[in-house]
Amino acid sequence: MNYDLTNPYEIARYIKEAKKSTPVKVYVDGNIENCSLGNIEDYGNGGFHVLFGEAEEVSKFLADNKDNIKKFRIEYDRRNSAIPLVDVTKIDARIEPGAIIRDKVKIDKKAVIMMGAVINIGAEIGEGTMVDMNAVVGARGKLGKGVHLGAGAVVAGVLEPPSKSPCEIEDDVLIGANAVILEGVKVGKGSVVAAGSVVVEDVPAGVVVAGIPAKIIKTVDDKTKDKTKILEDLRK
């Protein structure tokens, strides 16, 4: 079934209709080679096995075969999750360990997603854009080409209320570390958001904003461009 992920109502419908999943990993000390596994995956032999499956089915398997199992340990990282993580092997970008990228996102070539970054459903990341360490791009957030989203910065997501427009960051914008772009705000092409700023209203193209709330402090000049230029070698 197709969903329009630019529409918050469609995202909500996708989440509602998605199969909820609680995957678990289980280390088993015991002889279970002749036990019926059903849909559970088994990686092991002899007296040691590693199982992967849905929590409910795995729990039933462990209970039904307790006489064959000496001990076990269960690991899990989610409960009734509606949105899987994206298949990063299908993305032509650089994605570093520890990034959390949910399904139904668009990431263009030469983008860089650093450690600990979080990108939520419906987000769009443009060509050559870097999402730095621990930065967040919320649901439906849009980052244009050649953007740098600094470490710890937040581009707020918009699912509720559905009447809100998503954040839109146009091409060649630099957003400093720990800055926050609030729901529905648009930042114009080539502008700079100073570190730690909170942007509560639209920012025109070609300006520098700073503060809480962020205000225009100057236009982007040659000195600003020199201080904020991105390095193409990081995007190869």
Side-chain angles (χ1 to χ4, degrees), residues 198-219:
V198 177
V199 184
V200 301
E201 57 186 16
D202 291 354
V203 175
V207 299
V208 179
V209 299
I212 304 175
K215 301 293 183 183
I216 297 173
I217 60 172
K218 60 182 289 187
T219 58

Side-chain angles (χ1 to χ4, degrees), residues 5-34:
L5 297 181
T6 65
N7 184 324
Y9 293 100
E10 287 285 284
I11 294 177
R13 185 166 68 90
Y14 167 77
I15 294 171
K16 176 184 176 182
E17 295 176 354
K19 180 182 178 180
K20 308 303 186 290
S21 177
T22 306
V24 297
K25 177 181 181 181
V26 189
Y27 302 93
V28 175
D29 178 5
N31 182 10
I32 61 171
E33 291 187 330
N34 296 321

Side-chain angles (χ1 to χ4, degrees), residues 183-196:
E183 293 90 339
V185 168
K186 297 182 180 181
V187 180
K189 179 179 172 64
S191 284
V192 175
V193 178

Side-chain angles (χ1 to χ4, degrees), residues 17-116:
E17 295 176 354
K19 180 182 178 180
K20 308 303 186 290
S21 177
T22 306
V24 297
K25 177 181 181 181
V26 189
Y27 302 93
V28 175
D29 178 5
N31 182 10
I32 61 171
E33 291 187 330
N34 296 321
C35 299
S36 177
L37 289 164
N39 294 319
I40 300 170
E41 298 178 35
D42 177 16
Y43 298 88
N45 55 63
F48 180 74
H49 299 260
V50 181
L51 307 181
F52 293 87
E54 285 295 315
E56 184 175 348
E57 188 170 1
V58 169
S59 295
K60 184 177 186 304
F61 172 83
L62 295 173
D64 290 346
N65 296 282
K66 60 184 179 181
D67 292 340
N68 298 311
I69 297 172
K70 297 178 182 178
K71 58 183 178 179
F72 63 86
R73 181 182 181 89
I74 300 177
E75 293 182 354
Y76 57 91
D77 64 358
R78 71 201 76 182
R79 174 72 177 170
N80 290 330
S81 178
I83 307 172
L85 300 181
V86 73
D87 181 354
V88 297
T89 65
K90 297 180 179 179
I91 297 175
D92 185 15
R94 178 157 67 88
I95 300 173
E96 296 295 343
I100 299 174
I101 307 172
R102 303 187 88 178
D103 201 12
K104 308 298 183 183
V105 302
K106 181 177 182 291
I107 301 178
D108 288 340
K109 62 183 181 180
K110 295 185 179 179
V112 178
I113 314 299
M114 295 296 286
M115 298 82 74

Side-chain angles (χ1 to χ4, degrees), residues 131-182:
V131 180
D132 213 337
M133 294 183 294
N134 299 316
V136 175
V137 182
R140 300 170 64 219
K142 297 180 180 180
L143 275 58
K145 297 178 181 179
V147 172
H148 181 99
L149 182 64
V154 175
V155 172
V158 180
L159 283 182
E160 295 178 321
S163 58
K164 278 279 191 179
S165 299
C167 287
E168 294 187 32
I169 312 301
E170 295 187 353
D171 298 349
D172 304 318
V173 168
L174 185 140
I175 298 175
N178 297 313
V180 176
I181 316 298
L182 293 187

